[in-house]
């Protein structure tokens, strides 16, 4: 399987293609008031033809091609746009949870990032990727163009979940590199103290970035389904804990819920969208649900 | 104190939760977990909390199992630490104990090689060993009336144990009502200590019959006014077996017993059990000579009699024995009876002259009646004498005096006859044409004379016949099972009589309703009055085929005292009386089967001498040898306590309920507990197993609640 195929299989791409319009409107919707005048600017450089889909502006139709082939195509240009998207992918150790490779949070998050990048790059947005762990591990500046997806996937392929999460310093580093304002999508499990998350998001908001938080969780982390005695070994170097799940479950769930509520509150206060995605949900479904929620906003 | 200490072994079960806990810990599954921050947190507090919770749950589970084990062991909280007083308790410091031990014959019942008394002995020793330092005890033997009861409790428990160790079943039927009263009286003087009475007995209902009465229960409760009632605990020993076969009686239907004449021996065997007994061997013998060996079948809870003709060849004192062969209680399988076998009895016939020569028959009926059926071996040695010849010397040699056609009796003659009857002689008065009612009434009744059973009124000349006879009376034993032979015998004349209320007892009546035969007891002797004559013109009785047997039966009955009854109760003194001074130096008593002989004591009462021996508390045969008037005598006395304890019927559940509910006795079944535990628990202790079970239930609920609370 080719490298892109590991992250974007044909079936997913097919489903993503059907979501392009919605994706574009969503992305545009998110930029209302920020980039509209500039998006309406003239094209700069021809990029490609693509099949006409309902909703495309008729003026973009390439009449010559239509006359010659009797099939509608629109012209696409690499437009100069101010909308940039940076995806911050959490590569801390906690993202390694998941016995099944397909359900491993890191794998899932990587495919999610690849899918989002594909969608946005198809919408001629510029997409960048930052891998954050204990520090800013990798930085891929936002760019547009068909090659950017390959760079994103290559960066994802080198990502390995390891080490303790340090959301604040790594976010600070990414924010420093990001420069002018952009759409920042944070893909993480957010297993960090709420204070640290708040400080990180606050830094991004301070730079007037648009924030979307995609929280990737494993179903076990929501339900804590363990029955027998278990030795819980921390993926981020925490001290191991031998516990009877029946005894600690209530406390775990309570604290988990408390953290969720805090996260929700602070995202609301930061005007950041928070979406929780579990790894047992197919990527396409997860994105479709996410886009639907964004459309309603 | 624990009633079932073995149950404490289940305490090991308390380790099961711990073992499971440790096993689970050792078989844990490693999980690489990302969300550790929610599991452990940054601080160690929650983890410690979880650990504490685990240990709390573990402790609850272990405590649940442990408490359950303790509850099964039925712990008892000592009353000495209790604020609530209980029956029998006063201070809780020491105890005064009375042990009532049933050593009656029923305790000799043996099953599986062990008698009930053996079990009772063990229980008694266990009670003694369970007593604490400072406790005092006393022993009452319920079946031994010769046992001198103690006057106070003693701290010397060893002496009681020694007394119990060699105990054997005694002969008497116990009365627990009396023993309980005695024990309570004894404890009243025990001072301010715990008062306890322990009754160790089989389950036989007989000893309890008086305890179960309302009067005893009322008296027992009345004792409360004098202080707290003693705590009474009953330890039943042995089983509920009640099957028992006993020889209940052995007797000759006609007395005295004659030698060389068939005598009728009747043996009664009672089946006390609820199952029929079939073809049980029954042996009868005298000395070493077997009389008969037969079998007997007895329905449940009934009596069967065996009647045997017995011909005894030798006169003298003999012991007749009968025995059945049974299991269980064997002490009542045999019964002995002493009998004096006589060669003859002396009969003196006194006939009055006929009032009219024409009315007397030419043949004298009485000698013919008495000799009927015998050749020259009649047991009735008949002598004839006129009334004027009666004197004490003549009557001394006489056993039965027949006053035929009774005429006028002088006062001295009446006194002599009265003295004769008082001494045991028998008198048969036959009325006739010479009888003068007024004179007879005056001479034979009143002024210290009571020879006449009924007042003579006058002659009734009216044909009648014998209507009813009292078949149960010994005089009519020979008619047992036969039709009345006198119904067709006409009687034309008879004296109308009125029996004296306190003396006369009618044995036969005429169809007219008037008595024909009236009996009275005079001193040790008997008097029979026949209200008709044996003359032909008065009645046809002499011609009746049944009359010889009736006459012989009456004479035999009246002469029964010719034989001395040598059957005694335990403790009754053997008395050999004689008008002639016996050789007291040669008088000895041998309690068979012992070979030693004890001397008899000679005492003089007026012109009579008596040889006495009083050590007859043990049942058995006592053989007396003495010399009287130069003649060596061998007399057999049989001491028997009877078989009053043979009915082994156990106390019913209802009777037990009365004892436990109304009289507040504790019944302790030693199949489920021990004596020591019982004593400890009853000394005011309170069983707390119910409380523990409630605690177990509560712990389970708490554990479930906490587990759910902490895990949801």
């Amino acid at each position: 399987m080719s490298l892109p195929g590991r992250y974007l299989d044909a079936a997913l791409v097919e489903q993503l293609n059907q979501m392009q319009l919605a994706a574009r409107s969503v992305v545009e919707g998110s930029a209302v008031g920020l980039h509209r005048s500039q998006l309406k600017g003239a094209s700069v450089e021809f990029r490609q033809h693509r099949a006409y889909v309902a909703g495309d502006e008729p003026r973009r139709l390439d009449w010559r091609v239509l006359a010659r082939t009797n099939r509608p195509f629109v012209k696409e240009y690499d437009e100069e746009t101010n909308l940039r998207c940076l995806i911050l992918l959490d590569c801390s150790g906690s993202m390694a949870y998941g016995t099944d490779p397909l359900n491993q949070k890191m794998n899932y998050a990587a495919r999610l990032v690849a899918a989002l990048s594909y969608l946005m790059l198809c919408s001629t947005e510029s997409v960048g990727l930052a891998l954050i762990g204990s520090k800013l591990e990798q930085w891929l500046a936002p760019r547009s163009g068909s090659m950017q997806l390959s760079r994103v996937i290559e960066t994802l392929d080198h990502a390995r979940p390891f080490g303790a999460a340090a959301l604040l310093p790594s976010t600070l580093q990414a924010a420093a590199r990001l420069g002018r304002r952009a759409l920042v999508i944070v893909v993480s499990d957010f297993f960090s103290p709420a204070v640290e998350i708040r400080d990180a998001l606050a830094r991004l908001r301070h730079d007037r970035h648009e924030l979307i938080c995609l929280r990737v969780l494993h179903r076990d982390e929501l339900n804590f389904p363990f029955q027998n005695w278990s030795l819980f070994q921390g993926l981020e170097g925490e001290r191991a804990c031998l516990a009877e799940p029946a005894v600690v479950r209530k406390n775990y769930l309570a604290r988990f819920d408390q953290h969720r509520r805090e996260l929700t509150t602070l995202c609301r206060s930061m005007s950041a969208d928070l979406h929780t995605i579990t790894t047992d949900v197919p990527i396409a479904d997860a994105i479709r649900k996410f886009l639907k929620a964004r459309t309603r906003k | 104190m624990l009633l079932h200490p073995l149950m404490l072994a289940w305490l090991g079960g308390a380790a099961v939760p711990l073992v499971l806990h440790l096993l689970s810990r050792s078989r844990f599954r490693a999980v690489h977990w990302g969300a550790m921050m929610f599991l452990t947190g940054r601080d160690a507090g929650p983890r410690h909390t979880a650990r504490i919770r685990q240990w709390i749950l573990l402790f609850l589970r272990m405590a649940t199992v442990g408490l359950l084990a303790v509850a099964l062991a039925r712990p008892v909280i000592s009353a000495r630490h209790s604020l609530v007083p209980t029956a029998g308790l006063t201070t809780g410091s020491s105890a005064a104990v009375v042990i009532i031990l049933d050593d009656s014959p029923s305790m000799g019942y043996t099953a599986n090689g062990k008698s009930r008394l053996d079990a009772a002995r063990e229980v008694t020793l266990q009670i003694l060993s369970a007593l604490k330092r400072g406790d005092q005890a006393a022993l009452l033997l319920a079946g031994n009336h010769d046992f001198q009861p103690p006057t106070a409790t003693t701290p010397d428990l060893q002496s009681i144990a020694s007394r119990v160790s060699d105990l054997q079943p005694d002969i008497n039927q116990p009365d627990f009502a009396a023993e309980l009263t005695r024990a309570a009286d004894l404890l009243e003087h025990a001072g301010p200590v715990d008062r306890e009475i322990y009754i160790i007995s089989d389950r036989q209902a007989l000893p309890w019959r008086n305890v179960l009465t309302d009067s005893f229960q009322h008296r027992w409760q009345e004792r409360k006014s004098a202080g707290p009632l003693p705590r009474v605990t009953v330890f039943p020993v042995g089983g509920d077996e009640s099957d028992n076969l006993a020889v209940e009686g052995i007797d000759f239907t006609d007395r005295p017993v004659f030698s060389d004449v068939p005598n009728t021996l009747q043996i009664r065997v009672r089946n006390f059990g609820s199952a029929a007994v079939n073809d049980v061997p029954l042996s009868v013998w005298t000395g070493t000579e077997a009389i008969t060996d037969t079998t007997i079948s007895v329905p449940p809870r009934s009596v069967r009699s065996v009647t045997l003709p017995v011909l005894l060849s030798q006169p003298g004192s003999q012991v007749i024995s009968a025995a059945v062969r049974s299991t269980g209680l064997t002490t009542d399988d045999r019964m002995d009876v002493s009998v004096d076998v006589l060669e003859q009895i002396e009969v003196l016939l006194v006939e009055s002259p006929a009032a009219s020569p024409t009315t007397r028959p030419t043949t004298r009926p009485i000698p013919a009646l008495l000799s009927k059926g015998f050749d020259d071996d009649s047991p009735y040695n008949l002598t004839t004498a006129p009334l004027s010849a009666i004197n004490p010397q003549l009557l001394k040699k006489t056993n039965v005096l027949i006053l035929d056609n009774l005429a006028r009796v002088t006062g001295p003659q009446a006194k002599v006859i009265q003295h004769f009857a008082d001494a045991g002689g028998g008198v048969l008065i036959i009325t006739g044409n010479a009888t003068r009612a007024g004179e007879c009434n005056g001479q034979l009744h009143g002024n210290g004379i009571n020879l006449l059973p009924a007042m003579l009124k006058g002659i009734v000349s009216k044909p009648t016949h014998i209507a009813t006879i009292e078949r149960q009376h010994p005089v009519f034993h020979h008619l047992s099972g036969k039709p009345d032979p006198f119904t067709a015998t006409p009687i034309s004349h008879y004296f109308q009589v009125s029996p004296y209320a306190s003396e006369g007892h009618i044995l036969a009546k005429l169809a007219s309703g008037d008595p024909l035969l009236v009996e009275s007891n005079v001193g040790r002797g008997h008097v029979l009055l026949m209200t008709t004559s044996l003359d032909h013109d008065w009645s046809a009785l002499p011609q009746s085929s049944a009359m010889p047997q009736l006459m012989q039966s009456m004479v035999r009955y009246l002469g029964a005292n010719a034989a001395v009854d040598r059957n005694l109760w335990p403790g009754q003194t053997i008395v050999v009386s004689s008008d002639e001074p016996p050789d007291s130096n040669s008088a000895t008593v041998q309690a068979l089967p012992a070979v030693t002989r004890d001397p008899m004591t000679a005492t003089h009462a007026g012109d009579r001498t008596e040889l006495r021996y009083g050590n007859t508390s043990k049942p058995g045969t006592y053989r007396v040898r003495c010399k009287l008037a130069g003649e060596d005598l061998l007399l057999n006395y049989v001491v028997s306590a009877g078989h009053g304890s043979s009915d082994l019927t156990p106390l019913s559940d209802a009777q037990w309920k009365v004892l436990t509910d109304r009289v507040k006795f504790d019944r302790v079944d030693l199949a489920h507990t021990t004596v020591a535990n019982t004593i400890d628990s009853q000394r005011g202790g309170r069983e707390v197993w119910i409380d523990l079970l409630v605690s177990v239930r509560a712990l389970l609920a708490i554990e479930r609640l906490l587990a759910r609370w902490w895990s949801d």
Side-chain angles (χ1 to χ4, degrees), chain B residues 358-375:
Chain B
T358 58
T359 60
R360 292 297 299 169
T362 53
T363 56
R364 298 159 62 196
I366 292 179
L369 293 172
L370 286 180
S371 62
K372 181 81 173 178
F374 302 102
D375 296 328

Side-chain angles (χ1 to χ4, degrees), chain A residues 97 193 231 233 246-247 250, chain B residues 29 31 33 42 709-712:
Chain A
Y97 182 74
L231 179 65
Q233 296 172 323
V247 176
K250 185 180 180 184
Chain B
R29 187 170 69 111
V31 178
W33 188 242
R42 289 193 166 175
W709 186 27
W710 287 340
S711 62
D712 283 347

Side-chain angles (χ1 to χ4, degrees), chain B residues 496-507:
Chain B
Q496 193 174 34
V497 299
S498 174
Y500 293 111
S502 59
E503 298 156 5
H505 174 57
I506 300 172
L507 302 184

Side-chain angles (χ1 to χ4, degrees), chain B residues 670-709:
Chain B
L670 292 175
H672 303 122
T673 185
T674 65
V675 172
N677 286 334
T678 302
I679 290 177
D680 281 326
S681 67
Q682 289 186 339
R683 289 197 170 179
R686 188 174 70 85
E687 284 199 55
V688 292
W689 63 274
I690 293 180
D691 310 66
L692 289 175
L693 283 184
V694 171
S695 303
V696 166
R697 187 70 187 269
L699 282 180
L700 277 176
I702 293 171
E703 191 271 343
R704 187 168 297 178
L705 191 69
L706 289 178
R708 185 174 299 173
W709 186 27

Side-chain angles (χ1 to χ4, degrees), chain B residues 92-151:
Chain B
S93 56
S94 61
V97 174
V98 176
I99 301 171
I100 300 175
L101 179 58
D102 181 3
D103 61 341
S104 63
S106 69
M107 296 295 282
Y109 189 96
T110 302
N112 302 322
K114 185 177 182 181
S115 72
R116 293 175 177 176
L117 188 61
D118 292 338
R121 189 182 293 115
E122 290 176 7
V123 173
T124 306
L125 295 177
Q126 288 172 18
I127 291 174
L128 292 173
S129 61
L131 297 183
K132 307 291 188 298
R133 184 185 297 274
D135 291 349
Q136 298 199 353
L139 177 68
L140 298 180
L141 297 179
N144 189 338
H145 292 177
D146 294 334
F147 175 70
Q148 187 64 35
T151 55

